[in-house]
Amino acid sequence: MALRMRILFATVLVATFGLSGAVGAQEESSISANLAVTTDYVFRGYTQTGEDPAVQGGLDWADSSGWYVGAWASNLDFGPGDDASIEVDIYGGYAWEANDVSYDVGLLYYAYPGADSSSGYDFIEAYAGLGYDLDAVSLSGAVHFTPDNFGETGTGWYLTGGLSSGLTDALSVDANVGFSQVTEDFGEDYLDWNLGLSYSFSRLALDLRYHDTDAPDCAGSCDARVVLSLSAEF
């Protein structure tokens, strides 16, 4: 789910262990790999692993022109009797900057290999985001739309915004809020929010994050929780 997507894909919670290198004679493109371990995989306020740990990783290609593609995966657990055990996200888009504002548009496909085909879990989203750096604080916002949401539950919108600030060269804090507008087949509209503190050292990063929602009747899967993630990248 990235922001990575992202607010994510993406988000983040995403801890990364990367492998990067130039592609092409002019080094106009780069490839990076990532790996993460987290105490709970939370997506838009809902645990995807039954509050158990997750191992996550991905691969990205980006060009200096702004085009990018990538893939990301995580283990998951939707409960007894559900065959889904992994999520694979494939995405691509275009990012650019104009007048000190950064923009990002693309498509993201969520796949659940091994899940019963009748579950209708797989779905696609279009997204558009922007960001603005005010030196002391950075602002971000994004909108996601799917014509047929998870479980074949009809259209879905997700609006999100956030702010982040570097407290030191290594320590940063960020806060994010999201609004999910869904059909009755999916459930009720709800808000989710998170507040995180991240510490980076060398190629590693440690993230401690509080999540909560106002979603009703989620049987504990969207209750308040604290998640610890470890990341590394190169």
Side-chain angles (χ1 to χ4, degrees), residues 13-211:
L13 148 86
V14 177
T16 58
F17 173 75
L19 173 63
S20 61
V23 176
Q26 301 301 318
E27 298 186 354
E28 294 181 347
S29 302
S30 64
I31 295 176
S32 61
N34 59 77
L35 178 67
V37 290
T38 180
T39 58
D40 191 359
Y41 171 22
V42 180
F43 179 70
R44 296 175 185 172
Y46 278 78
T47 177
Q48 307 293 289
T49 52
E51 301 182 325
D52 287 334
V55 177
Q56 305 165 335
L59 186 68
D60 294 275
W61 172 87
D63 188 75
S64 59
S65 65
W67 293 102
Y68 64 87
V69 294
W72 179 89
S74 175
N75 63 286
L76 48 78
D77 183 0
F78 291 149
D82 196 303
D83 294 331
S85 61
I86 186 172
E87 173 188 333
V88 178
D89 302 340
I90 301 170
Y91 51 91
Y94 182 72
W96 74 100
E97 185 174 334
N99 299 321
D100 297 325
V101 178
S102 59
Y103 301 88
D104 185 10
V105 295
L107 293 174
L108 195 160
Y109 183 73
Y110 301 83
Y112 298 83
D116 191 314
S117 58
S118 64
S119 65
Y121 285 169
D122 295 6
F123 69 104
I124 191 169
E125 275 188 344
Y127 61 86
L130 55 81
Y132 186 68
D133 189 354
L134 295 173
D135 293 330
V137 176
S138 295
L139 307 177
S140 63
V143 57
H144 298 246
F145 170 75
T146 176
D148 197 4
N149 208 356
F150 180 83
E152 298 181 339
T153 52
T155 59
W157 291 89
Y158 185 68
L159 308 176
T160 183
L163 57 85
S164 62
S165 179
L167 303 179
T168 69
D169 289 342
L171 189 64
S172 63
V173 62
D174 67 272
N176 306 276
V177 62
F179 172 68
S180 293
Q181 185 181 59
V182 295
T183 66
E184 291 184 0
D185 288 340
F186 184 92
E188 297 185 27
D189 298 347
Y190 72 95
L191 288 169
D192 71 271
W193 55 91
N194 65 78
L195 176 66
L197 189 66
S198 300
Y199 182 75
S200 301
F201 47 105
S202 185
R203 296 185 180 275
L204 301 175
L206 196 62
D207 184 272
L208 184 65
R209 190 164 301 273
Y210 171 82
H211 295 265

Side-chain angles (χ1 to χ4, degrees), residues 1-11 44 108 110 144:
M1 343 208 145
L3 179 183
R4 117 71 155 101
M5 199 233 60
R6 230 109 302 9
I7 295 223
L8 58 267
F9 264 153
T11 67
R44 296 175 185 172
L108 195 160
Y110 301 83
H144 298 246

